């Protein structure tokens, strides 16, 4: 099978930053935050011609499109069911939609309000909330007739009941989400914050009494009620509002993008989402207090209430309990609370919320830092143990070791290099690496070899005559033109002739016993140049350039031809791809991909190209595209479980392994996913590698 050579790396700054800033000076901060958005949010149309196809765990009509709301604008999601699937949804506490809905289901975080629409009677049930993040295939066999077939609704989220309410008929809830209706009886499932809040109010007004409702998560209830307003009070009610809050703490960067100035280096999406939540909570508290007072005054200070009324407002673990019995005992007072005291009460509540949020944020940051240090320490300890065992075995072969599996794996390494995946350089979340490691997926064991002569990331790797060649890249502050090769026979690195230019985020591949270095950039400009290393000539030679500039591209050899895919041209991320045929000595365009992407990976499996993940100019993506040169076209594959870029990937034993990388808004990940034809993507429990990104992977 032709060997696959991978290249990661990405211009994770807007174009102006790419041209006028040094890419690496802020690399550490950028690896733990969302990549900057490079344009307005786009609404993707996923037209399904058959309007009778199921769009949820029901046999109901499918959506004609999605709104594609971004994560900060997503206020809630409606899932679907029928009479035959509703019971299973509630029993398993699981909602699901077809795979094309994953574009927004993946934006669901724990706590997001959810609703369930029954296509059979066209009623909306709630209030539910997400108990997990939106994921693919939480239960791969849910809603299947006999449990033997894979689910048709893999875009799933675990749920819990927030507040049990009487269902709403379509006549009741349709005015609230009327903007989502694209046909008379078909609507989009994504809700913005305003729509979600109105649905919460509407459902909460018909909440089921606690004595007849099922056990619920009371810590998150938001039981709302509205008192009728007299005409003469309506204007006063509308004019008595909290001052609108301005979005403060942000400034426009030199590139025109909005950034945070609070000193916390938090992604803008996170800051905005927190402000949206805080504003909703303030408005909710104020609305409830105002309605209580108006209800009291409109009944001439003689408010009488039957039964029990509980109102629990969840405000970051603070609860404001208003008991009906206490209200009844004070019915002779002129007013429940003097309306002029409301601003001071609300101000006090807001201040306490801010203090609690600040404390919680500080604790979360400390925990994340400690977890990161612990993971790094475990990796270092494991590597030191492995090194000690090897040294002891060399000095005293009679020593018996407890970890026989590790020693057996080392012996296997000496016998068969094809059993291991080699990882070169990168970044582990703490420091840039010069390490060369081999990884055995079958034993979950990692072995360290002699390190490179330089710290190196964003480099490319290729094999030639049984040796590994590593070229280009950088050390966190500058780019390289240096090249070095590793000989596994003597565990030694050798310096090789340098590239003609300093460059990083380039791609590399071997063709006809020659190494090709494609594209890349130097922080000032992107390159379309291609350099070729001929071991007989002993130097790098400029050869036919690509048709397009490509930084953070991916390349591979397949059936005697080179393929260069995607990347960044200095202005935009690319969908284009091209092929180099050495017999014609020229590059030709092939069909473009469906999705823009850079800092992605490329692997060859069963004579097809697999383009994996990357960054589309807006966010990290999990999508996969497959190119079959016999058909000359791209097709969409099953997406990964995790959106990521800057990952290392390679084909190994009829599977593709994707290792580490960066997930938007988070630290460097330690998750390894494996793909097999016919089985799709699976998250493994392999942990030997730990956190790693900006590295390269190859099989000798």
């Amino acid at each position: 099978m032709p060997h696959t050579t991978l290249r990661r790396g990405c211009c994770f700054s807007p174009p102006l930053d790419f041209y006028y800033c040094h890419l690496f000076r802020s690399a550490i901060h950028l690896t733990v935050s969302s990549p900057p958005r490079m344009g307005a949010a786009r609404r993707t149309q996923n037209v399904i011609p058959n309007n009778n196809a199921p769009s949820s765990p029901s046999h109901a009509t499918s959506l004609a499109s999605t709104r594609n709301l971004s994560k900060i604008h997503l206020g809630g999601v409606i899932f679907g069911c029928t009479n035959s699937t509703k019971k299973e949804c509630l029993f398993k506490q699981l909602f699901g939609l077809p795979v094309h809905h994953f574009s927004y289901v993946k934006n669901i975080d724990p706590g997001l309000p959810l609703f369930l629409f029954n296509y059979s009677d066209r009623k909306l049930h709630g209030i539910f909330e997400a108990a997990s993040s939106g994921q693919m295939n939480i239960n791969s066999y849910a809603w299947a007739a006999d449990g033997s077939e894979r689910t048709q609704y893999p875009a799933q989220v675990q749920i819990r009941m927030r507040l049990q309410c009487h269902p709403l008929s379509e006549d009741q809830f349709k005015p609230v989400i009327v903007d989502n209706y694209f046909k008379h009886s078909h609507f989009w499932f994504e809700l913005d914050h305003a729509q979600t809040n109105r649905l919460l109010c509407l459902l909460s007004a018909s909440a089921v009494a606690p004595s007849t409702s099922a056990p619920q998560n009371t810590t998150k209830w938001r039981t709302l009620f509205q008192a009728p307003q007299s005409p003469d009070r309506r204007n006063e009610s509308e004019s008595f509002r909290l001052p609108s809050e301005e979005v403060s703490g942000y400034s426009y960067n030199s590139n025109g993008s909005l950034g945070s100035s609070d000193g916390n280096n938090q992604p803008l999406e996170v800051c905005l989402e927190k402000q949206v939540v805080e504003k909703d909570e303030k408005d909710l508290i104020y609305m409830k207090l105002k309605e209580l007072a108006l209800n009291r005054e409109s009944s001439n200070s003689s408010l009488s209430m039957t039964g029990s009324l509980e109102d629990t407002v969840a405000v970051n673990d603070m609860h404001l309990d208003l008991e009906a019995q206490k209200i009844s005992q004070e019915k002779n007072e002129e007013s429940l609370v003097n309306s002029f005291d409301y601003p001071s009460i609300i101000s006090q509540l807001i201040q306490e919320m801010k203090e609690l949020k600040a404390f919680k944020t500080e604790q979360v940051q400390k925990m994340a830092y400690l977890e990161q240090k612990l993971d790094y320490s475990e990796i270092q300890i494991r590597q030191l143990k492995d090194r000690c065992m090897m040294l002891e075995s060399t000095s005293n072969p009679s020593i018996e070791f407890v970890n026989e599996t590790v020693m057996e794996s080392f012996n296997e390494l000496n016998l068969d290099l094809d059993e291991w995946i080699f990882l070169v350089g990168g970044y582990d979340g703490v420091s840039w690496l010069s390490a060369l490691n081999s990884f055995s997926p079958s034993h979950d064991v990692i072995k360290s070899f002699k390190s490179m002569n330089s710290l190196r990331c964003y480099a490319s790797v290729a094999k030639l005559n049984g040796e590994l060649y590593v070229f280009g890249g950088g050390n966190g502050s500058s780019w390289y033109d240096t090249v070095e090769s590793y000989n596994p026979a003597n565990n030694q690195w050798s310096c090789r002739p340098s590239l003609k230019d300093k460059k990083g985020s380039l791609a590399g591949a071997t063709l006809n016993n020659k190494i090709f270095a494609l594209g890349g950039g130097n922080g000032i400009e992107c390159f379309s140049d291609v350099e070729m290393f001929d071991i007989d000539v002993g130097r790098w030679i400029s050869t036919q350039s690509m048709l397009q500039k490509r930084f953070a591209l991916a390349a591979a050899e397949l059936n005697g031809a080179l393929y260069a895919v995607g990347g960044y041209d200095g202005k935009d991320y690319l969908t284009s791809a091209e092929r180099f045929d050495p017999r014609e000595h020229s590059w030709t365009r092939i069909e473009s991909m469906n999705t823009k992407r850079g800092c992605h990976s490329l692997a060859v499996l069963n004579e097809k190209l697999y383009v994996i993940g990357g960054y589309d100019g807006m966010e990290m993506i999990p999508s996969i595209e497959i190119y079959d040169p016999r058909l000359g076209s791209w097709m969409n594959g099953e997406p990964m479980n995790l959106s990521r870029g800057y990952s290392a990937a390679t084909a190994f034993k009829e599977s593709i392994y994707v290792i580490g990388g960066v997930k938007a808004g988070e630290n460097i990940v330690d998750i390894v996913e494996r793909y097999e034809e016919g089985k799709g993507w699976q998250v493994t429990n392999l942990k030997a590698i730990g956190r790693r990104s900006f590295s390269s992977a190859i099989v000798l």
Side-chain angles (χ1 to χ4, degrees):
M1 180 179 67
H3 169 68
T4 304
T5 304
L6 283 300
R7 201 27 240 136
R8 281 129 309 277
C10 178
C11 177
F12 41 82
S13 299
L16 290 177
D17 285 346
F18 174 81
Y19 282 105
Y20 301 111
C21 300
H22 291 290
L23 182 63
F24 276 102
R25 297 194 185 278
S26 57
I28 296 178
H29 298 292
L30 291 168
T31 58
V32 297
S33 65
S34 299
R37 301 190 178 276
M38 302 181 65
R42 298 167 292 176
R43 176 170 298 179
T44 303
Q45 298 294 327
N46 299 317
V47 178
I48 302 174
N50 179 9
N51 286 333
N52 293 319
S55 63
S56 58
S58 65
H59 301 288
T61 49
S62 67
L63 296 178
S65 62
T66 61
R67 293 181 65 183
N68 246 11
L69 294 177
S70 65
K71 196 165 188 175
I72 62 172
H73 296 119
L74 186 66
V77 174
I78 297 174
F79 285 78
C81 71
T82 63
N83 288 337
S84 60
T85 58
K86 176 184 173 185
K87 183 176 181 181
E88 183 175 355
C89 290
L90 299 180
F91 177 76
K92 292 183 177 179
Q93 293 189 305
L94 185 72
F95 290 171
L97 290 169
V99 65
H100 60 274
H101 292 269
F102 187 64
S103 61
Y104 60 87
V105 171
K106 67 182 180 181
N107 292 331
I108 295 177
D109 285 331
L112 189 77
L114 305 176
F115 309 92
L116 188 63
F117 177 66
N118 188 340
Y119 283 96
S120 298
D121 58 12
R122 303 196 68 79
K123 290 185 177 181
L124 188 70
H125 297 261
I127 302 169
F128 304 95
E129 67 178 24
S132 73
S133 300
Q135 303 172 41
M136 288 291 291
N137 291 309
I138 296 176
N139 185 336
S140 299
Y141 300 94
W143 308 293
D146 54 2
S148 61
E149 298 179 357
R150 295 183 70 88
T151 182
Q152 299 180 44
Y153 316 104
Q156 299 172 356
V157 62
Q158 293 175 320
I159 63 97
R160 56 175 167 250
M161 176 67 74
R162 176 185 288 188
L163 179 65
Q164 186 171 351
C165 306
H166 293 291
L168 301 174
S169 66
E170 190 166 14
D171 291 339
Q172 292 175 294
F173 71 80
K174 184 173 182 178
V176 175
I177 64 168
V178 66
D179 291 340
N180 279 27
Y181 275 80
F182 56 89
K183 287 187 179 180
H184 177 70
S185 58
H186 299 151
F187 55 86
W188 294 318
F189 289 171
E190 301 162 82
L191 305 174
D192 56 37
H193 290 284
Q195 292 173 325
T196 302
N197 288 337
R198 290 198 295 269
L199 275 183
L200 290 174
C201 293
L202 196 59
L203 277 164
S204 300
S206 60
V208 176
S211 60
T212 61
S213 63
Q216 301 169 10
N217 181 14
T218 57
T219 61
K220 297 235 180 210
W221 285 0
R222 294 185 180 182
T223 308
L224 308 177
F225 68 93
Q226 297 182 347
Q229 298 181 1
S230 58
D232 57 330
R233 291 287 181 181
R234 187 167 293 120
N235 293 333
E236 176 184 353
S237 169
E238 293 176 352
S239 61
F240 184 47
R241 297 178 179 269
L242 283 174
S244 300
E245 292 192 356
E246 298 180 356
V247 179
S248 59
Y250 300 94
S251 61
Y252 280 92
N253 299 326
S254 60
N255 56 21
S257 61
L258 192 61
S260 172
S261 61
D262 61 1
N264 293 329
N265 291 323
Q266 292 184 329
L268 177 58
E269 289 89 346
V270 175
C271 297
L272 289 177
E273 187 171 4
K274 287 182 179 179
Q275 288 201 344
V276 170
V277 172
E278 290 175 0
K279 187 175 185 304
D280 289 344
E281 291 170 345
K282 297 170 190 174
D283 291 344
L284 180 62
I285 295 171
Y286 162 70
M287 180 184 70
K288 297 169 67 57
L289 292 173
K290 179 184 66 176
E291 290 173 343
L292 281 173
L294 292 175
N295 194 342
R296 181 73 174 178
E297 292 174 283
S298 63
S299 58
N300 295 322
S301 302
S302 59
L303 177 62
S304 63
M305 303 182 67
T306 60
S308 173
L309 176 63
E310 287 189 336
D311 183 26
T312 308
V313 180
V315 185
N316 244 0
D317 302 326
M318 295 180 60
H319 308 286
L320 180 61
D321 298 329
L322 303 175
E323 299 178 356
Q325 182 178 0
K326 184 179 296 185
I327 296 175
S328 300
Q329 292 174 350
E330 299 173 356
K331 62 183 179 179
N332 293 326
E333 295 179 0
E334 183 175 339
S335 177
L336 177 64
V337 179
N338 191 321
S339 60
F340 293 102
D341 292 337
Y342 291 163
S344 61
I345 295 174
I346 295 173
S347 177
Q348 182 180 355
L349 288 173
I350 292 173
Q351 182 61 33
E352 291 175 356
M353 284 191 294
K354 288 181 178 178
E355 293 174 358
L356 284 175
K357 287 179 181 292
F359 176 76
K360 183 177 179 180
T361 300
E362 181 182 358
Q363 297 304 310
V364 169
Q365 291 175 346
K366 287 182 178 179
M367 289 296 296
Y369 175 75
L370 291 175
E371 288 176 359
Q372 184 175 344
K373 295 292 289 185
L374 179 61
D375 290 342
Y376 178 71
S377 300
E378 289 176 350
I379 295 171
Q380 295 294 94
I381 292 171
R382 188 185 301 112
Q383 292 177 350
L384 289 173
K385 284 183 177 179
D386 294 346
R387 184 66 61 85
C388 290
M389 291 174 66
M390 291 301 296
L391 292 174
E392 291 178 4
S393 65
T394 303
S395 61
N396 188 356
S398 62
I399 295 178
E400 295 183 0
F401 296 95
V402 176
N403 195 342
E404 297 178 357
T405 302
V406 175
M407 292 309 299
E408 290 174 0
S409 300
F410 293 161
N411 293 332
E412 291 173 5
L413 175 64
N414 295 328
L415 295 175
D416 192 356
L417 293 172
D418 293 337
E419 296 295 313
W420 297 75
I421 297 173
F422 284 81
L423 294 170
V424 184
Y427 179 70
D428 63 5
V430 178
S431 59
W432 307 103
L433 305 175
S434 61
L436 171 65
N437 305 112
S438 61
F439 171 61
S440 171
S442 58
H443 297 93
D444 194 19
V445 171
I446 190 169
K447 174 177 171 55
S448 298
F449 294 96
K450 185 174 181 179
S451 297
M452 292 181 288
N453 298 309
S454 304
L455 300 173
R456 200 181 291 264
C457 57
Y458 299 100
S460 192
V461 61
K463 65 178 181 179
L464 180 64
N465 295 341
E467 294 189 20
L468 291 180
Y469 282 72
V470 183
F471 41 96
N475 63 359
S477 60
S478 61
W479 298 110
Y480 295 154
D481 59 3
T482 57
V483 181
E484 47 188 316
S485 67
Y486 174 77
N487 188 342
N490 57 15
N491 191 31
Q492 293 295 324
W493 287 91
S494 302
C495 293
R496 295 291 184 175
S498 297
L499 297 166
K500 300 177 73 66
D501 295 297
K502 295 181 179 181
K503 62 185 73 174
S505 285
L506 69 167
T510 302
L511 175 65
N512 294 339
N513 210 35
K514 297 177 179 62
I515 296 176
F516 289 79
L518 298 82
N522 60 7
I524 300 175
E525 59 179 328
C526 301
F527 299 136
S528 62
D529 302 344
V530 178
E531 299 184 43
M532 179 184 71
F533 178 72
D534 189 331
I535 196 169
D536 296 327
V537 177
R539 63 187 177 88
W540 291 86
I541 304 169
S542 295
T543 184
Q544 188 70 32
S545 295
M546 294 180 292
L547 301 174
Q548 218 168 349
K549 295 180 179 181
R550 297 182 187 273
F551 177 89
L553 74 161
E557 181 273 338
L558 175 60
N559 295 334
L562 287 180
Y563 290 83
V565 180
Y568 179 75
D569 66 358
K571 297 179 180 179
D572 198 4
Y573 288 86
L574 307 174
T575 61
S576 63
E578 46 190 301
R579 175 174 58 211
F580 176 77
D581 190 332
R583 294 167 297 185
E584 300 176 0
H585 198 65
S586 63
W587 289 91
T588 57
R589 293 189 184 276
I590 62 175
E591 181 178 293
S592 295
M593 297 181 292
N594 300 307
T595 303
K596 297 179 180 180
R597 65 182 82 218
C599 65
H600 50 293
S601 302
L602 185 63
V604 175
L605 181 65
N606 296 334
E607 297 189 348
K608 293 190 285 287
L609 294 173
Y610 284 74
V611 176
I612 303 165
Y615 178 64
D616 67 357
M618 299 285 288
E619 60 184 354
M620 295 294 183
I621 55 177
S623 65
I624 307 296
E625 295 191 53
I626 306 169
Y627 181 78
D628 189 337
R630 293 163 295 190
L631 302 176
S633 60
W634 293 91
M635 59 182 177
N636 291 324
E638 179 183 341
M640 293 184 292
N641 295 282
L642 181 70
S643 300
R644 65 173 100 185
Y646 318 106
S647 57
T650 188
F652 178 75
K653 289 187 175 182
E654 301 303 318
S655 299
I656 296 175
Y657 286 84
V658 179
I659 301 167
V662 175
K663 180 182 178 183
E666 297 185 6
N667 293 328
I668 295 170
V669 298
D670 60 355
I671 298 172
V672 178
E673 290 192 54
R674 180 178 64 246
Y675 173 83
E676 294 181 68
E677 280 194 328
K679 296 183 179 179
W681 289 95
Q682 295 179 343
V683 176
T684 70
N685 58 357
L686 301 174
K687 295 296 182 183
I689 296 175
R691 299 174 186 269
R692 196 148 178 174
S693 65
F694 315 120
S695 59
S696 300
I698 195 171
V699 176
L700 278 174

